[in-house]
Amino acid sequence: MSVRGSNRKVNRITSGVCMFINGLGTANPPYRYSKADCWEAFKTSKWFQRLDLRSHMIMETVLKKDNGIESRSLAVESLDEVFSIDPDTLHGRFLDNAPALGATAGGAALKEAGIDASAIDGVVISTCTGYLCPGLTSYVIERLGLRTDVLAFDLVGQGCAAALPNWRLAEALLSTGSCLNVLSICVEVSSAAMYLDNDPGVLISACLFGDGAGAAVLSRHQNPQRRSIEWKGFASLINPAERDALFFETRQGMLRNVLTRTVPRLAAGHAQQVLNTVLNGANLKPEDISAWIMHAGGRDVLIALQNQLKITTEDLHYSADMLRLYGNMSSAFIYFVLQAALKDNAKPGWWWVSSFGAGFSCHGALLKAA
């Protein structure tokens, strides 16, 4: 499949330094809601009267039929709060929840890695659902008790794709010799980027996204007490010609997610190009991949990936399982999928990780699992 505007070289990097994933952690708000819960809350909200009949039909179709998602964690004690949509409320929701979620996931990753917070030399945090200055690193450093001389980087604007660029920056920090351990965190409070109008893409987006955070301890040396997962190669494809297919815009001081019908096709086409680039460079074939750790934008995206990459439903079951349980958590999603594969003791060998999102962008990483 050709991708418009993407006849450019895919940027491939063969890792020149050892980087191991020594610990993983995830976190969600304590409040979980089913599709049925969301539909009932929408019907009784003021937005039901504000939106037109076509919008009612779209919301009912997405929330009452199989869309690959059964429940989502949202940072609200009641779904009534979701429909309070104004800039101050949404910013307050992000401020109240993003630092806590990021620190909880980060603390879990540190515990699994078996290291103290003082051993972290760098911290990289990605988000796209809110803005703070100073950034989230300031809050997480404080909450986790990281050293005050830690190298801290806040990354924004990469959307669902952000996890792998985050890890690539961690690899660069490790390669300089200035860091032995980097804490990577992606945290998204999608309920803080809530927006509703009669645009079908906006409505579908409101039904897909959940709140969550993922974290990884990325280190130059393997932790001998845990399974070896080593980063071996990386590639990126940034295609600005398709920028309008998926992005946030600001309206009335709030983030509005623009989601178009072309996203599944674009995700699959870009994912194919990035996969081919890395596998060809490593003299591997798709059948050499023993575990697929894929971002799931939604059910239709997973179907497109399966068809494009010529893999099976079983190959994507970790992604499908996490989508069903948590919805699309944007950049944090990949951590949950990788965690699921590790908990399931997925087959050793070559693992493929891929994320894609705003831009239009796609990234892929080759891991070697012992």
Side-chain angles (χ1 to χ4, degrees), residues 63-298:
L63 291 174
K64 294 187 72 174
K65 295 185 179 180
D66 181 18
N67 68 344
I69 299 169
E70 292 300 327
S71 61
R72 292 178 287 165
S73 295
L74 300 171
V76 291
E77 293 185 23
S78 165
L79 282 174
D80 294 340
E81 297 176 47
V82 168
F83 298 102
S84 296
I85 303 174
D86 64 79
D88 288 347
T89 297
L90 298 180
H91 175 74
R93 186 173 298 150
F94 185 82
L95 178 59
D96 289 343
N97 292 279
L101 288 171
T104 299
L110 289 172
K111 182 178 180 180
E112 184 175 277
I115 63 174
D116 186 76
S118 62
I120 295 297
D121 306 300
V123 57
V124 185
I125 303 184
S126 301
T127 191
C128 70
T129 49
Y131 175 76
L132 298 175
C133 183
L136 280 169
T137 54
S138 172
Y139 295 85
V140 170
I141 288 168
E142 179 182 36
R143 285 172 177 260
L144 291 181
L146 303 184
R147 301 196 319 263
T148 56
D149 66 343
V150 69
L151 297 175
F153 298 88
D154 289 275
L155 305 182
V156 297
Q158 295 176 311
C160 296
L164 290 182
N166 184 308
W167 292 9
R168 174 67 183 108
L169 176 54
E171 182 196 30
L173 292 172
L174 295 174
S175 70
T176 67
S178 60
C179 295
L180 289 178
N181 300 293
V182 175
L183 181 61
S184 156
I185 299 174
C186 287
V187 54
E188 305 291 4
V189 186
S190 299
S191 60
M194 185 68 171
Y195 196 100
L196 288 176
D197 61 26
N198 286 312
D199 182 281
V202 169
L203 297 172
I204 292 171
S205 175
C207 297
L208 294 180
F209 286 90
D211 300 343
V217 173
L218 305 173
S219 307
R220 288 188 61 129
H221 304 292
Q222 180 204 347
N223 179 353
Q225 304 301 317
R226 62 167 284 117
R227 186 172 184 179
S228 174
I229 306 292
E230 184 178 2
W231 168 282
K232 301 296 288 186
F234 177 81
S236 284
L237 174 58
I238 311 296
N239 184 7
E242 298 290 359
R243 184 185 296 129
D244 291 344
L246 180 61
F247 66 100
F248 268 131
E249 65 178 2
T250 302
R251 284 196 183 181
Q252 300 175 326
M254 297 176 290
L255 292 173
R256 179 180 185 268
N257 193 26
V258 177
L259 178 66
T260 66
R261 293 182 178 181
T262 61
V263 168
R265 174 181 61 82
L266 290 171
H270 285 70
Q272 179 77 74
Q273 291 187 58
V274 171
L275 174 67
N276 289 347
T277 297
V278 174
L279 293 191
N280 289 342
N283 294 315
L284 297 172
K285 298 178 180 179
E287 51 265 34
D288 294 319
I289 302 298
S290 57
W292 297 83
I293 314 299
M294 307 290 287
H295 175 66

Side-chain angles (χ1 to χ4, degrees), residues 31-50:
Y31 316 107
R32 177 170 289 191
Y33 302 99
S34 68
K35 289 188 300 183
D37 294 332
C38 295
W39 171 244
E40 292 303 319
F42 171 62
K43 287 195 303 180
T44 59
S45 75
K46 60 186 178 182
W47 285 96
F48 191 81
Q49 301 302 323
R50 293 182 182 180

